[in-house]
Amino acid sequence: MHRVTVGILLMMAVLPALEANDPADKNSPFYYDWHSLRVGGLICAGILCAVGIIVLMSGKCKCKFSQKHTPSQ
């Protein structure tokens, strides 16, 4: 019974992959222009990094580490 189950699962996994569209098909809904996607991600990361640095350097974000805790008695 175990062999039959494994065979069915393998068949279900392999058959859709055999019928998949050509990855170079530009009309496929799963075709991605990886270069544009990478460049867009890098631009977005650069902007977010710059905004983070500006927020930290602006002085609006003040961390108070000088507070002393007094033990409760």
Side-chain angles (χ1 to χ4, degrees), residues 15 18 21 30 35 37 41 45 47 51-52 61 72:
L15 285 179
L18 292 175
N21 291 339
F30 297 107
H35 179 72
L37 189 63
I47 291 171
V51 168
C61 178
S72 302

Side-chain angles (χ1 to χ4, degrees), residues 41-64:
L42 287 173
I43 290 171
C44 181
I47 291 171
L48 289 175
C49 183
V51 168
I53 291 172
I54 290 170
V55 167
L56 287 176
M57 299 303 244
S58 69
K60 299 286 182 186
C61 178
K62 297 190 188 252
C63 299
K64 298 178 183 178

Side-chain angles (χ1 to χ4, degrees), residues 2-69:
H2 179 69
R3 285 184 154 182
V4 173
T5 305
V6 170
I8 291 173
L9 288 175
L10 284 174
M11 188 174 61
M12 288 173 56
V14 171
L15 285 179
L18 292 175
E19 295 180 13
N21 291 339
D22 184 21
D25 182 18
K26 302 231 185 231
N27 295 326
S28 173
F30 297 107
Y31 176 78
Y32 297 106
D33 182 11
W34 291 107
H35 179 72
S36 297
L37 189 63
R38 183 181 299 153
V39 170
L42 287 173
I43 290 171
C44 181
I47 291 171
L48 289 175
C49 183
V51 168
I53 291 172
I54 290 170
V55 167
L56 287 176
M57 299 303 244
S58 69
K60 299 286 182 186
C61 178
K62 297 190 188 252
C63 299
K64 298 178 183 178
F65 291 113
S66 62
Q67 293 178 354
K68 295 181 180 178
H69 292 289

